[in-house]
Amino acid sequence: MFALLALLAAQVASPAQTPPANASTAPAATATRWATREGDHVIRDFRFRSGETLPVLRLHYTSLGQPHRNARGEIDNAVMVLHGTGGTGRQFLQPQFADQLYGPGQPLDIRRYWIILPDNIGHGESSKPSDGLRMRFPRYDYADMVDAQHRLLADGLGIREMRLIMGTSMGCMHGLIWGQAYPDFARALMPMGCLPIEIAGLNRMWRQLAIDGIKADPAWKNGDYAAQPTAGVRTAASLLFVAGGAPLHLQREFPRRDAAAAHAQERVARSMAGIDANDLIYQVDSSRTYDPWPGLDRITAPLTWINSADDFINPRQLDHPARAVARMKDARFRLVPESADTRGHGTHTWARFWKADLLDLLARTEGGSLMPPNDQDHSR
């Protein structure tokens, strides 16, 4: 679910390697060696499923590599990676993801593939409540976000077929929506860190408590605050930390009481510095209409789906993955075993745990030809 969770609780690193506590802040220095391009796609009079309209919707994106066109002049090497709640596309420049995937000879070698990393509605440098509308911003949901992604790819970038759509957490759920809404648009799908069911049970409960914690703070003022409602944001950030935790990993790294307490306090404080209360309310609540279960049979693109056994948000005890895979045309599911090295919900961003699965998916969906890798190194 939460990119923010993965950055809050799932990574323990030295100060020089620690990523930002909130993915909407500037990436850490260790994530800047990749040569990237930034762009914006503007959609006029975007109509949301709620019936609301935004005169100008801006969708920001980061890209790596170059588009390649086949003999028909069509782009055939585009890969989109979708972030989780609270994140941005630039989170996929972090070493645990990018250094495992983008380099020469790696699964998403940017000499072969054009990587597109959008900031979804309500996140990063795309249109969001904190731009000025605050709680008057249209009440977007996942279907709106996928619609905007499709317009970016088809109208903004001229893509008619994606080589691959990947997604983590919220992006995982977007991937399942993509498979139903646009079944022929992607040659392969790789959702990671989600379930194909309505956000209910404990998953909705902790989200609701995070929202309620912000709204209960008198300083929130129905969203018209002059300064962030600190008490409410701390409540939400604390819930995010707990939901994203990896018990074995954190026990190994912080076996002493005082160090564990200090780590939690430091992570929550860093997270709070990057949170806008209204943005977070919208981000957490945008899952309210998500329910791909009835339409799973419409997903025909080959799919590899990865969850982790120590994921608090998507518990391994639920039997939905096995039943879901049986309903899709060409789907495989793997549960990454829990260990002291896995990162709970954030395992989806540590590519070493599922890199072989990605290679297998690319191999089994290969068809047509891509440009051969050249000798240029696109990292800095």
Side-chain angles (χ1 to χ4, degrees):
M1 180 244 136
F2 255 61
L4 176 54
L5 299 179
L7 295 176
L8 263 171
Q11 171 154 346
V12 178
S14 67
Q17 296 176 323
T18 301
N22 182 4
S24 64
T25 60
T30 53
T32 60
R33 76 180 186 89
W34 297 97
T36 62
R37 292 179 175 83
E38 306 289 321
D40 292 285
H41 178 58
V42 173
I43 306 172
R44 304 287 178 183
D45 298 319
F46 185 88
R47 185 173 180 83
F48 294 79
R49 302 300 171 98
S50 65
E52 301 165 281
T53 301
L54 196 64
V56 176
L57 175 68
R58 182 183 68 259
L59 207 65
H60 185 77
Y61 64 93
T62 302
S63 66
L64 302 91
Q66 300 287 342
H68 175 262
R69 296 185 182 273
N70 60 23
R72 298 186 300 275
E74 300 165 340
I75 295 171
D76 62 2
N77 69 332
V79 173
M80 179 168 67
V81 190
L82 298 169
H83 64 75
T85 307
T88 73
R90 291 188 66 83
Q91 75 184 59
F92 298 115
L93 303 179
Q94 292 290 341
Q96 65 266 30
F97 192 92
D99 290 1
Q100 292 281 327
L101 300 180
Y102 300 153
Q106 294 178 333
L108 298 179
D109 186 336
I110 59 174
R111 300 172 303 169
R112 287 176 56 95
Y113 294 104
W114 185 30
I115 313 297
I116 301 163
L117 312 173
D119 293 352
N120 284 297
I121 298 173
H123 294 72
E125 296 183 45
S126 293
S127 297
K128 55 188 180 295
S130 60
D131 290 341
L133 289 177
R134 302 190 175 206
M135 295 302 289
R136 293 170 290 280
F137 193 85
R139 197 166 176 235
Y140 64 85
D141 67 5
Y142 285 1
D144 295 316
M145 298 165 101
V146 169
D147 184 13
Q149 293 160 12
H150 180 259
R151 296 201 200 185
L152 164 66
L153 298 178
D155 300 336
L157 301 177
I159 300 168
R160 296 294 172 262
E161 183 185 68
M162 296 295 294
R163 177 63 183 91
L164 171 69
I165 294 177
M166 301 175 64
T168 64
S169 193
M170 177 181 73
C172 174
M173 293 184 271
H174 287 177
L176 296 177
I177 295 173
W178 262 97
Q180 297 182 33
Y182 307 100
D184 299 322
F185 201 86
R187 285 169 52 191
L189 300 170
M190 190 164 179
M192 296 182 287
C194 70
L195 289 173
I197 55 174
E198 180 180 355
I199 302 296
L202 184 60
N203 199 346
R204 179 61 199 189
M205 292 175 189
W206 74 263
R207 293 169 187 255
Q208 190 63 53
L209 293 174
I211 294 170
D212 292 348
I214 293 173
K215 290 186 174 183
D217 188 337
W220 181 61
K221 299 180 180 178
N222 295 317
D224 291 323
Y225 45 81
Q228 295 294 328
T230 303
V233 170
R234 179 176 290 108
T235 296
S238 298
L239 283 162
L240 298 177
F241 177 86
V242 172
L248 293 184
H249 180 70
L250 291 174
Q251 183 66 36
R252 183 185 69 186
E253 298 298 322
F254 299 98
R256 307 299 296 177
R257 179 190 60 228
D258 291 346
H263 174 74
Q265 291 169 337
E266 186 269 338
R267 285 289 175 151
V268 169
R270 291 183 63 201
S271 173
M272 290 175 62
I275 289 176
D276 176 84
N278 291 336
D279 286 350
L280 186 58
I281 289 173
Y282 273 78
Q283 291 165 359
V284 174
D285 193 47
S286 61
S287 64
R288 67 191 177 278
T289 61
Y290 171 76
D291 185 12
W293 188 262
L296 289 177
D297 308 84
R298 298 197 297 272
I299 299 178
T300 57
L303 178 149
T304 292
W305 168 19
I306 305 292
N307 278 4
S308 50
D310 55 351
D311 189 341
F312 171 91
I313 298 167
N314 303 297
R316 64 182 182 275
Q317 295 90 342
L318 298 179
D319 68 349
H320 297 93
R323 291 193 285 144
V325 165
R327 293 179 52 200
M328 292 183 275
K329 181 180 179 180
D330 183 4
R332 299 178 186 178
F333 174 79
R334 188 169 77 88
L335 187 69
V336 177
E338 181 178 15
S339 73
D341 293 320
T342 52
R343 300 307 206 273
H345 185 66
T347 301
H348 56 54
T349 310
W350 290 75
R352 63 189 177 95
F353 293 108
W354 42 262
K355 185 175 179 179
D357 300 279
L358 173 57
L359 283 167
D360 174 76
L361 176 63
L362 291 170
R364 83 179 205 256
T365 56
E366 191 60 69
S369 61
L370 289 175
M371 59 181 177
N374 58 39
D375 294 327
Q376 182 179 356
D377 186 350
H378 288 262
S379 62
R380 285 194 273 218

